[in-house]
Amino acid sequence: MKRPFAEVAVELPLEGSFTYSIPAALVGAVRTGARVIVPFGKRTVTGYVLSTTDEPPEGVKGIKPLIDALDERPIFGEARLKFFRWLSSYYFSTLGEALSLIPPGGANIRSQRHINITDAGRSALPEKTGLEKDILEAAVKSPSIVAIQKKHRNMPVLSAIDRLRKDGLIEEETLLKGGGSAKTERFVRALRRAETDTLKRSPIQAKAYSYLLENGETAVSALKLALGPIDDGLRRLVDKGLVVISEREVGRAPLDAITPRDANHAPNEEQQKAIERIKEALGSGTFSPFLLYGVTGSGKTLVYLKALEEALRLNKRAIILAPEIALTPWPAAYLASLFPGRVALAHSGLSPGERLDEWRRVLRDEVDIVVGARSALFSPIDGLGLIIVDEEHETSYKQEDGVRYNARDSALMLGKYLGATVVLGSATPSVETFYNANSGKIELLTMKNRVGESSLPHVETLDMRGKKESLSPRLKALMEENSAKNSQTLLFLNRRGFSNSLICKDCGQVFRCLNCSVSLTMHKRSHVLKCHYCDFSIPIPSICPNCSGINLSTTGSGTERLEEDVRALFPKLTIGRMDSDTTQKKGSMRRIMEAMEDKSIDVLIGTQMVSKGHHFPGITLAGIVDADTSLNIPDFRSSERTFQLITQAAGRAGRGDEAGTVVIQTLNPGHYAFLSALKHDYNAFYAEEIELRREALYPPFVRLCNMRFEGAKEASVIEAANDMKRAAEALLKVKNAGVTVLGPAPAPLEKLKGRYRWQMLVKCADAKKLHAIALTLRASFKAKKRPGVALTIDMDPLNTL
């Protein structure tokens, strides 16, 4: 039966769906759950088909036809559509924006406005100044308007472009972008045996032809690698009808860079209990959420692998999430060995082409397991029966732009809609997750012991009050002993760069970012002062621009400075550093990990990326250089975050045959986070923390909604925030039971990337009531139509299922 109309959600910040007619040529190609290309105003965008019907909705006129269909099969079904409707509602996005999380970046097609300089514009260029001159100079290379706006943030780009266009100095054109392209390669094969004398006088042709007869069809690139330059010889062989060259699509295979690992260990008693319980849940076919709480080194990875084996035995498919891209090679290596050719990677560390090819493999049902970071959750894998969220406590599961989802919470809800088993794993579970486990909302699976003969490391705290050096004498002595035993040391400092800031001691001038309310971090090796938020940088000055003084001094230290200090103290040791400065290039993280595995690094210095998930049996000493870094941030979760970071970093020590030692350097040795870490006692920490949360009315006892106002003009931002407070007070006169409004006040980072930020916090124990209040306040904000001020709403992590 023909269904000539489609209800479509577009990937734009617009509520609701839109009706399009389906051209006769596309009736069989347009499917519910698939992507289509549609006209939208003057633009062309990607849309998602929600349904098809015989008749358009009553009263809808001016219906435009679809342009084309993008998918041969649906990328979401009915159950997943319900999930995405929940996602868009809970995280205050549109359905189209939520559905656009499914394809990888660049896979969707949309139009983009570009500008080109005219002959009149070239003539007028020397006379122009300021923004208009910058735009005309850029227009020589036909840039997109979006690119110009990004370069000239907070400047009236659109009005300047409009003036230049009206004056005939530039022209606009609309181009279609995206869609991705498949990688193709040329292959050559011999068609028939040549006569004996045919190639007698052509040695290059004879060599190529002989190679093809012996090896069969070969990629042209491989043939060149084997025989050298042969392009002319191949052309002549084609002309003689002896070979044929064809071009076809080849997949980019990022897993080829990962060496498969065997995991033939037999589970111990604790692991086996957890495995059996997860197997039972998989067999039931109903939504089953678990918290796998196991100390560092307890073998959670083996439990994951056995659960994945069982899922595939039951003809179910799976997704396994890691909090950071750097942690995906570990499960991928084990799974590539267990299920060769059936594993796909999905994260932004891949090239756009690799991401697209892996996604297409999923669509073609060539994949049983997807491994990736948070965005991998939305992979369109059919028959999903198991979702694993490793290190579930990590804050990196929260998306900070676009659809502001939490991947851990979203995994639980996706499992609920699909009837899947969801396993959250951690040695330091989030307080909310552990509360849910103790409340019976999530089943708790506990592993209290490390695998094999290894035991948890000995932990000691060192009081650094009054001390100036970055490494205490005790830690330095332990490092000496460790190097004498040919063992490895890990030094954890959750702050990169050389120093926190540069200050003039003559006048007190602190070098600050022009765009953000933070000081610039000194990077000695690259000789710059840099903002870690917007990447603004300047060369390290030799004199103060304020007083011309030369008494410039650094304050605080980061991983770069610590590396310099350790090299000076231990010149014979090989020092490695793992932070976002040293791991920017593709493959750099893998090379550092391989160097740790083969023990060519003696001391590894790093930020939080060294503290989680890695298994380096050679590390027997871990030093937490400044344990107070995260304790002093203005966040009610600062104690929880500190305990997690320290416990995870400490958990890297003593995972092999030798016992480990951990040294925590702190200015607050009596803090309960450190006292609990000293004893490896998560339950003691939880007991203290949960009571403080109960008294102060913080999650999990209430729900939080943070409303943040951003704009280039501070006065406009403050006015919008105060207006929202008045709207909230008026609303709460009607619905005031159990609701508290805090603020508005400047955000902890008041200015970011040239935009001022204020926020207002709403607290309520009733999630539905809080969400309804937030929706009403958002509608009030939109009705005011405040140009230049944006509102973003963050819901605190999900506490109920």
Side-chain angles (χ1 to χ4, degrees):
M1 180 175 63
K2 292 185 177 181
R3 297 181 179 273
F5 296 95
E7 180 192 4
V8 176
V10 295
E11 55 164 349
L12 294 171
L14 296 169
E15 301 289 346
S17 58
F18 303 88
T19 301
Y20 290 88
S21 62
I22 303 174
L26 295 177
V27 167
V30 174
R31 296 173 175 84
T32 299
R35 294 175 302 156
V36 289
I37 306 172
V38 297
F40 198 88
K42 295 181 179 180
R43 291 177 286 183
T44 300
V45 298
T46 296
Y48 301 85
V49 180
L50 307 180
S51 64
T52 56
T53 59
D54 289 325
E55 301 292 336
E58 190 174 343
V60 176
K61 297 179 180 179
I63 296 175
K64 296 180 179 180
L66 298 170
I67 296 173
D68 205 350
L70 282 176
D71 302 313
E72 294 181 0
R73 50 152 285 186
I75 62 173
F76 61 87
E78 185 178 343
R80 266 196 171 92
L81 179 57
K82 290 179 181 178
F83 162 73
F84 281 107
R85 289 188 188 279
W86 168 84
L87 189 82
S88 64
S89 171
Y90 188 76
Y91 292 110
F92 300 96
S93 76
T94 66
L95 180 57
E97 290 174 311
L99 289 168
S100 69
L101 295 170
I102 302 174
N108 281 350
I109 291 176
R110 64 171 62 189
S111 59
Q112 201 171 61
R113 293 161 62 205
H114 287 246
I115 59 171
N116 299 299
I117 192 167
T118 63
D119 290 340
R122 292 179 190 276
S123 301
L125 183 55
E127 302 170 7
K128 292 292 181 180
T129 59
L131 179 60
E132 289 191 354
K133 182 176 183 178
D134 289 346
I135 292 173
L136 280 178
E137 287 177 341
V140 173
K141 296 183 178 179
S142 188
S144 70
I145 292 176
V146 172
I148 298 174
Q149 287 177 305
K150 286 181 178 178
K151 184 177 181 181
H152 299 279
R153 196 182 297 272
N154 303 323
M155 297 184 72
V157 169
L158 294 179
S159 57
I161 287 176
D162 191 50
R163 287 194 302 271
L164 293 170
R165 182 179 54 78
K166 287 178 179 177
D167 291 342
L169 304 184
I170 60 171
E171 294 176 339
E172 283 190 27
E173 66 173 334
T174 301
L175 302 175
L176 289 182
K177 298 288 184 180
S181 58
K183 180 183 177 182
T184 60
E185 192 165 357
R186 293 191 305 152
F187 288 82
V188 57
R189 63 184 175 88
L191 289 177
R192 58 183 176 81
R193 287 197 170 273
E195 298 295 331
T196 307
D197 296 333
T198 305
L199 304 176
K200 196 173 183 180
R201 297 182 181 180
S202 308
I204 293 177
Q205 295 177 43
K207 186 162 56 170
Y209 188 69
S210 175
Y211 185 96
L212 292 172
L213 287 176
E214 184 177 346
N215 295 280
E217 186 177 52
T218 304
V220 172
S221 58
L223 194 61
K224 288 180 181 180
L225 195 64
L227 305 180
I230 54 166
D231 290 300
D232 186 61
L234 280 181
R235 278 195 297 271
R236 294 182 184 279
L237 287 172
V238 171
D239 291 342
K240 293 174 180 178
L242 296 177
V243 302
V244 63
I245 296 177
S246 59
E247 190 167 353
R248 64 173 181 263
E249 182 178 338
V250 293
R252 287 155 281 212
L255 267 172
D256 288 351
I258 296 174
T259 304
R261 294 170 175 264
D262 290 328
N264 297 323
H265 315 295
N268 62 24
E269 185 178 349
E270 287 184 325
Q271 289 173 315
Q272 192 60 44
K273 284 182 180 179
I275 292 165
E276 290 303 322
R277 185 62 196 93
I278 296 171
K279 282 184 175 181
E280 289 176 18
L282 284 166
S284 72
T286 59
F287 171 53
S288 305
F290 293 96
L291 169 60
L292 180 62
Y293 163 48
V295 299
T296 56
S298 60
K300 292 184 288 294
T301 299
L302 184 63
V303 176
Y304 299 155
L305 296 176
K306 295 298 182 183
L308 290 164
E309 280 185 321
E310 178 65 10
L312 267 62
R313 190 187 70 80
L314 295 171
N315 294 317
K316 297 183 178 184
R317 290 182 167 136
I319 293 172
I320 177 166
L321 302 182
E324 292 189 7
I325 294 167
L327 296 178
T328 56
W330 293 99
Y334 289 121
L335 292 168
S337 175
L338 286 170
F339 312 107
R342 304 299 299 176
V343 181
L345 290 177
H347 57 69
S348 59
L350 305 177
S351 69
E354 287 174 333
R355 290 192 73 184
L356 184 63
D357 284 356
E358 293 290 87
W359 189 71
R360 284 174 170 166
R361 287 180 62 218
V362 173
L363 280 181
R364 292 194 295 260
D365 283 335
E366 296 174 5
V367 168
D368 293 318
I369 301 171
V370 176
V371 181
R374 58 178 177 256
S375 61
L377 178 67
F378 308 111
S379 298
I381 190 166
D382 275 345
L384 183 61
L386 175 63
I387 306 172
I388 295 171
V389 184
D390 192 24
E391 310 290 0
E392 65 83 26
H393 63 278
E394 283 294 338
T395 56
S396 50
Y397 279 122
K398 177 70 168 65
Q399 176 70 23
E400 294 297 342
D401 54 22
V403 183
R404 305 170 71 86
Y405 66 91
N406 183 299
R408 177 200 61 202
D409 299 341
S410 300
L412 287 166
M413 292 305 294
L414 180 58
K416 186 174 182 179
Y417 280 105
L418 297 182
T421 297
V422 182
V423 179
L424 312 180
S426 179
T428 53
S430 69
V431 169
E432 290 87 353
T433 299
F434 203 67
Y435 179 82
N436 281 337
N438 287 330
S439 303
K441 293 174 182 175
I442 298 176
E443 185 172 340
L444 180 62
L445 306 173
T446 304
M447 298 193 299
K448 299 179 180 179
N449 302 293
R450 282 188 162 182
V451 295
E453 301 298 321
S454 61
S455 59
L456 289 167
H458 165 73
V459 183
E460 57 186 82
T461 56
L462 292 177
D463 189 345
M464 298 296 285
R465 286 175 289 189
K467 310 286 194 311
K468 291 185 178 180
E469 66 269 28
S470 58
L471 298 179
S472 62
R474 169 66 174 160
L475 182 52
K476 283 187 278 191
L478 288 171
M479 290 177 67
E480 287 274 14
E481 293 176 16
N482 217 41
S483 64
K485 297 186 297 182
N486 293 319
S487 294
Q488 293 171 298
T489 297
L490 172 70
L491 295 179
F492 170 71
L493 176 59
N494 203 24
R495 186 168 53 238
R496 64 188 173 102
F498 187 83
S499 67
N500 297 6
S501 59
L502 188 66
I503 187 170
C504 175
K505 287 198 169 182
D506 293 331
C507 70
Q509 167 83 7
V510 177
F511 292 82
R512 304 185 70 83
C513 178
L514 298 179
N515 306 312
C516 309
S517 53
V518 293
S519 59
L520 295 173
T521 300
M522 178 176 169
H523 289 256
K524 188 175 180 181
R525 186 170 296 178
S526 53
H527 200 72
V528 295
L529 297 177
K530 186 175 184 179
C531 175
H532 288 171
Y533 292 93
C534 73
D535 279 343
F536 170 79
S537 65
I538 58 173
I540 297 175
S542 55
I543 62 171
C544 174
N546 187 50
C547 71
S548 299
I550 60 171
N551 193 11
L552 303 181
S553 176
T554 59
T555 61
S557 63
T559 49
E560 187 182 6
R561 184 174 201 156
L562 181 60
E563 179 187 8
E564 185 177 282
D565 292 345
V566 173
R567 287 186 186 280
L569 287 168
F570 303 99
K572 294 182 180 180
L573 298 184
T574 303
I575 314 300
R577 175 158 60 95
M578 184 188 288
D579 56 28
S580 54
D581 294 325
T582 63
T583 57
Q584 289 180 353
K585 292 182 179 179
K586 190 172 182 178
S588 55
M589 171 73 76
R590 176 174 49 83
R591 286 189 289 273
I592 294 172
M593 292 193 294
E594 288 172 352
M596 283 298 294
E597 288 182 331
D598 63 26
K599 289 196 171 184
S600 55
I601 289 179
D602 299 308
V603 180
L604 179 64
I605 297 166
T607 54
Q608 62 180 352
M609 62 174 62
V610 305
S611 69
K612 49 202 172 189
H614 304 299
H615 178 71
F616 301 130
I619 294 177
T620 56
L621 173 64
I624 317 298
V625 176
D626 183 357
D628 306 295
T629 305
S630 56
L631 193 61
N632 299 317
I633 60 174
D635 186 343
F636 73 92
R637 290 192 176 92
S638 61
S639 296
E640 177 185 8
R641 185 73 182 132
T642 300
F643 174 80
Q644 289 166 341
L645 278 171
I646 290 171
T647 302
Q648 292 286 340
R652 301 314 105 197
R655 297 168 77 98
D657 296 331
E658 293 186 41
T661 300
V662 179
V663 174
I664 301 173
Q665 297 185 159
T666 174
L667 301 174
N668 298 278
H671 194 281
Y672 66 93
F674 301 133
L675 295 177
S676 301
L678 200 66
K679 301 173 184 176
H680 303 285
D681 195 343
Y682 174 84
N683 286 292
F685 168 79
Y686 174 80
E688 185 90 23
E689 181 71 13
I690 201 71
E691 285 308 312
L692 291 174
R693 302 267 186 104
R694 194 190 309 273
E695 291 172 12
L697 283 181
Y698 276 110
F701 302 104
V702 296
R703 307 296 296 280
L704 300 182
C705 176
N706 187 35
M707 312 189 81
R708 191 171 69 233
F709 309 86
E710 298 183 20
K713 296 181 179 178
E714 186 177 18
S716 299
V717 172
I718 295 172
E719 182 183 0
N722 286 326
D723 270 1
M724 185 67 84
K725 176 63 178 284
R726 287 189 286 271
E729 288 173 342
L731 179 63
L732 296 182
K733 285 180 181 178
V734 181
K735 303 178 180 180
N736 62 351
V739 181
T740 304
V741 177
L742 304 176
L749 190 58
E750 186 175 355
K751 188 181 180 185
L752 179 67
K753 299 180 180 179
R755 295 173 67 82
Y756 294 92
R757 297 147 38 104
W758 276 56
Q759 65 186 30
M760 185 174 80
L761 193 67
V762 185
K763 299 167 70 172
C764 181
D766 187 328
K768 289 184 178 179
K769 185 174 183 179
L770 178 62
H771 202 271
I773 290 171
L775 281 172
T776 303
L777 293 176
R778 185 178 68 159
S780 171
F781 176 84
K782 287 184 175 181
K784 293 279 186 177
K785 295 183 179 178
R786 295 184 175 277
V789 180
L791 169 66
T792 57
I793 302 177
D794 270 316
M795 291 296 288
D796 204 59
L798 195 67
N799 295 329
T800 56
L801 298 173

